[in-house]
Amino acid sequence: MLLTMFDADANVRSSRVIGRGIYRWGGRRTSRARANLQRSFPEFAPHKREQVLRASFEHFTQLVLEVIHTPRIIHPDTWSRRVSITHMGQAIQLLNTGRPVLMVTGHLGNWEVLGYLLAVLGYHVHAIARPIDNPLINQWLLGIREKRGMEIITKWDATERMMQVIDAGEPLAFIADQNAGERGLFVPFFGRMASTYKSVGLLAIRRELPIICGYAHRVGPDCRYELGTQDIIYPHQWQEQDDPLYYITARYMRAIENMVRLRPAQYLWMHRRWKSRPRWEKAGKPMPANVIRQLEALPWMDQPQMDRLLAPTVAEFA
């Protein structure tokens, strides 16, 4: 309540000071983010990577303040002054059909604003989210997220609720770049194999659903955003593949990577995206031939990307 007494844009600008402090004294988090950024953008000069790293911590603290102010600054009368929409034609057509569609994004830009804005525009979006451990903060955040009609599905009742949403012909949204553990599907992400949940792909295959890969990037120093679509995966595209699940999962992670590349300072580099490693890496063995075949079958895969994927060792992720 105290924070919302002040101007939203001024609050968000001030929050960057806190972000710079976390960057300087963040300890393990800063070191992890620096290592992730270095491995993901080896072509960047050291000073440029450090600039991106500092900006990413500033971005994260801005995001927290933006969440607090979202109900005040984005509503039916004001959203057009805060948000620009680009490359959204096909996505809007899909959303307007009244048929179910899957939507994926990552921990980039302001993912909270993305779902909130779609609800403001009249789309009854359902989003999968893990509850926050502190029940008071979780209740407060849930109130913000659902203020305009977006509904949150927790992991405790996800399967049944997801089926109900799809049967009702409504959009189902995922933040799809979390580490999925040792049982996840390992697909490329910034030149390294990353464990990824199979649920999005399995759901798309089972119900023949299109997948919209989108983002809400911040543009400018204040609370202004660009809402866009990076890729749309249609059923006929993965049905033609020998391994549809691998193709879908690798393709939407490629879309998330491309979204990050647009504005790398707006990605949450401190989170442990590459924590889990494939069994062959942990055993110190070469990549299995069947995995190489899966990678080579991806239409966008080229030899430089393959060479980079074959290079990492277990020591790199220690």
Side-chain angles (χ1 to χ4, degrees):
M1 185 177 65
L2 179 63
L3 288 171
T4 55
M5 292 172 60
F6 300 94
D7 177 73
D9 293 330
N11 258 353
V12 168
R13 287 193 294 270
S14 299
S15 71
R16 294 201 294 271
V17 177
I18 301 173
R20 286 193 288 273
I22 298 174
Y23 156 74
R24 292 190 181 96
W25 301 295
R28 184 180 301 176
R29 288 184 177 85
T30 303
S31 299
R32 182 189 306 140
R34 181 178 288 113
N36 285 338
L37 190 59
Q38 181 175 353
R39 292 163 183 152
S40 299
F41 288 95
E43 69 275 16
F44 281 6
H47 72 277
K48 182 176 181 179
R49 280 199 300 266
E50 209 62 26
Q51 289 174 350
V52 172
L53 178 64
R54 185 181 70 179
S56 73
F57 278 87
E58 294 176 0
H59 163 74
F60 179 70
T61 53
Q62 282 182 259
L63 188 148
V64 174
L65 267 294
E66 286 169 345
V67 171
I68 295 173
H69 286 285
T70 295
R72 295 177 58 201
I73 64 176
I74 297 181
H75 49 79
D77 296 327
T78 63
W79 74 266
S80 60
R81 297 198 294 270
R82 294 284 184 175
V83 181
S84 61
I85 295 178
T86 180
H87 306 303
M88 285 287 292
Q90 294 182 40
I92 290 174
Q93 288 178 3
L94 284 173
L95 291 170
N96 287 343
T97 62
R99 298 175 182 174
V101 61
L102 303 183
M103 308 178 71
V104 301
T105 191
H107 287 91
L108 56 98
N110 191 321
W111 59 88
E112 295 287 349
V113 162
L114 179 58
Y116 191 91
L117 177 63
L118 289 172
V120 167
L121 295 176
Y123 298 107
H124 193 191
V125 177
H126 302 255
I128 309 297
R130 179 188 179 278
I132 294 175
D133 294 333
N134 185 306
L136 297 178
I137 296 178
N138 184 68
Q139 183 179 4
W140 166 77
L141 183 58
L142 193 64
I144 293 177
R145 287 170 165 174
E146 296 188 332
K147 187 177 182 63
R148 291 290 174 179
M150 181 172 66
E151 292 192 26
I152 302 299
I153 300 174
T154 67
K155 65 179 182 179
W156 313 121
D157 60 350
T159 302
E160 182 178 352
R161 288 281 304 280
M162 285 191 299
M163 292 298 106
Q164 292 172 352
V165 170
I166 291 171
D167 289 339
E170 295 175 341
L172 184 62
F174 299 81
I175 297 178
D177 64 338
Q178 294 103 325
N179 176 64
E182 295 183 0
R183 295 185 179 182
L185 198 61
F186 284 89
V187 299
F189 187 57
F190 280 100
R192 291 170 283 166
M193 302 297 278
S195 176
T196 308
Y197 285 104
K198 305 173 185 177
S199 52
V200 175
L202 290 173
L203 198 54
I205 293 170
R206 179 177 177 183
R207 302 300 291 268
E208 296 190 1
L209 303 176
I211 304 171
I212 300 172
C213 308
Y215 60 87
H217 282 152
R218 184 187 301 109
V219 288
D222 300 327
C223 303
R224 301 183 187 279
Y225 312 95
E226 176 186 275
L227 187 69
T229 301
Q230 179 66 36
D231 192 12
I232 299 178
I233 309 172
Y234 293 95
H236 73 270
Q237 295 172 324
W238 49 257
Q239 287 169 347
E240 299 169 352
Q241 304 299 316
D242 292 335
D243 191 338
L245 178 60
Y246 197 84
Y247 173 85
I248 291 171
T249 310
R251 181 164 164 179
Y252 76 67
M253 282 308 305
R254 177 175 180 256
I256 293 176
E257 177 178 331
N258 288 334
M259 297 179 210
V260 176
R261 289 185 180 278
L262 291 173
R263 292 182 175 88
Q266 294 189 26
Y267 190 61
L268 194 64
W269 292 107
M270 68 182 76
H271 88 303
R272 304 185 69 180
R273 179 65 187 94
W274 295 272
K275 175 183 177 181
S276 298
R277 306 311 312 146
R279 285 176 293 179
W280 69 85
E281 277 190 19
K282 293 193 294 184
K285 297 180 179 179
M287 183 182 291
N290 66 308
V291 178
I292 294 176
R293 286 193 296 270
Q294 287 177 316
L295 292 170
E296 291 176 338
L298 299 175
W300 57 87
M301 186 61 61
D302 57 25
Q303 193 56 50
Q305 291 182 75
M306 281 298 305
D307 292 341
R308 190 176 175 193
L309 289 167
L310 292 168
T313 63
V314 178
E316 181 182 358
F317 304 94

